[in-house]
């Protein structure tokens, strides 16, 4: 019976996908929205006014296609859930890495240089996240840099020392902040009487409209950056370890 229900669900899903493919415009057609440049023209000419954002890439990612980006951060969070379902969390007393048990220690030069540049890598990640609305960068890029800093630290100093830098209790509390931020920002639009994830709210002057939209974009950037960085680090810690009893 379970297999029959599974096949029925797969068949319904296949029909839905097939119907969506049929509605897709022919590839290469000059009438496609991607080829008539109307969409691109609107992004370039009205993006700053409609999204209150100078960075056109951030305007597209977080405003015009905000639903798609919300799906992407959900996929990243789901990836962490999948890894944890297979490998579970690392444990301070039984989780080790190759660096923790290897008799060959890293070079003193590597130790020293990493200790010096580690704060600057984190500072650069914060800069990329904070200025994502006005310059190249954003939450995805800054979060990746942040995670790379902790991963490099764990590779050089070992898993146990890396876990002390960003403990499990802290990561657990911030891993879901990206989809949660989308939910909060989207809810502001609903409570104001417009659609979910609407940045321009009715009843406000243009000045406050742009200020509020910028604040909402900054919140999304911070949520994506901090949450994404924590998730990437947790996935690394879960996969880069050896269990000993």
């Amino acid at each position: 019976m379970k297999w029959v229900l599974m096949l029925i669900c797969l068949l319904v899903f296949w029909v839905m996908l097939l119907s969506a493919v049929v509605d897709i415009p022919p590839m290469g057609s000059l009438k496609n929205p991607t080829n008539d440049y109307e969409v691109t023209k609107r992004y370039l000419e009205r993006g700053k006014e409609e999204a209150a954002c100078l960075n056109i890439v951030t305007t597209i990612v977080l405003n015009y296609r905000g639903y798609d980006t919300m799906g992407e951060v959900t996929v990243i969070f789901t990836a962490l859930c999948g890894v944890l379902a297979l490998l579970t969390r690392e444990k301070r007393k039984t989780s080790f890495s190759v660096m923790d048990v290897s008799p060959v220690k890293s070079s003193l030069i590597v130790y020293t240089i990493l200790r010096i540049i580690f704060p600057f890598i984190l500072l650069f990640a914060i800069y990329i996240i904070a200025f994502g609305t006005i310059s190249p960068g954003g939450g995805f890029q800054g979060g990746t840099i942040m995670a790379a800093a902790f991963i490099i630290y764990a590779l050089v100093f070992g898993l146990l020392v890396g876990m002390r830098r960003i403990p499990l209790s802290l990561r657990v509390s911030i891993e879901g902040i990206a989809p949660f931020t989308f939910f909060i920002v989207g809810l502001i639009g609903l409570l104001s009487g417009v659609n979910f994830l609407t940045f321009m709210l009715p009843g406000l002057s243009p000045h406050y409209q742009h200020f509020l939209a910028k604040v909402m974009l900054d919140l999304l950037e911070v949520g994506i950056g901090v949450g994404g960085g924590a998730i990437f680090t947790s996935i690394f810690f879960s996969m880069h370890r050896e269990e000993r009893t």
Side-chain angles (χ1 to χ4, degrees), residues 90-103:
E90 75 276 9
K91 299 175 183 177
R92 288 289 300 272
K93 295 182 179 179
T94 59
S95 299
F96 301 90
S97 68
V98 175
M99 286 301 304
D100 294 320
V101 298
S102 174

Side-chain angles (χ1 to χ4, degrees), residues 7-181:
L7 288 175
I8 293 175
C9 291
L10 289 175
L11 182 62
V12 172
F13 188 64
W14 178 77
V15 172
M16 292 172 60
L17 289 178
L18 189 62
S19 62
V21 170
V22 171
D23 290 336
I24 295 176
M27 182 178 294
S29 172
L30 295 178
K31 296 182 179 179
N32 285 353
T34 55
N35 292 333
D36 61 12
Y37 300 107
E38 287 297 323
V39 176
T40 305
K41 187 178 179 181
R42 172 158 179 168
Y43 288 169
L44 295 176
E45 293 182 350
R46 302 179 60 181
K48 179 181 176 183
E49 175 188 356
E50 293 180 341
C53 180
L54 297 178
N55 186 351
I56 190 63
V57 177
T58 300
T59 299
I60 296 172
V61 171
L62 294 184
N63 194 312
Y64 288 121
R65 46 159 288 205
Y67 282 100
D68 187 61
T69 306
M70 183 175 63
E72 289 177 355
V73 298
T74 305
V75 167
I76 295 174
F77 184 76
T78 305
L80 173 64
C81 296
V83 171
L84 296 181
L86 293 174
L87 302 176
T88 70
R89 294 281 189 183
E90 75 276 9
K91 299 175 183 177
R92 288 289 300 272
K93 295 182 179 179
T94 59
S95 299
F96 301 90
S97 68
V98 175
M99 286 301 304
D100 294 320
V101 298
S102 174
V104 180
K105 301 302 178 184
S106 295
S107 166
L108 179 61
I109 297 176
V110 176
Y111 278 157
T112 306
I113 291 177
L114 185 58
R115 285 186 187 280
I116 295 173
I117 68 172
F118 181 76
F120 293 100
I121 298 177
L122 293 183
L123 184 62
F124 180 62
I126 294 172
Y127 169 81
I128 293 295
I129 295 172
F131 290 90
T133 56
I134 60 175
S135 63
F140 283 114
Q141 295 84 348
T144 305
I145 295 172
M146 188 180 297
F150 288 110
I151 291 172
I152 293 173
Y153 198 92
L155 287 174
V156 173
F157 291 97
L159 186 63
L160 300 179
V161 179
M163 289 165 59
R164 284 200 291 269
R165 278 287 179 180
I166 179 166
L168 177 61
S169 57
L170 176 62
R171 278 181 281 123
V172 169
S173 60
I174 61 177
E175 283 165 353
I177 195 173
F180 182 72
T181 306

Side-chain angles (χ1 to χ4, degrees), residues 183-202 212 216:
F183 173 74
I184 294 297
V185 172
L187 201 60
I188 293 174
L190 283 181
L191 295 176
S192 302
V194 292
N195 293 328
F196 187 78
L197 271 184
T198 297
F199 292 83
M200 291 298 184
L201 306 182
L212 183 60
M216 294 165 77

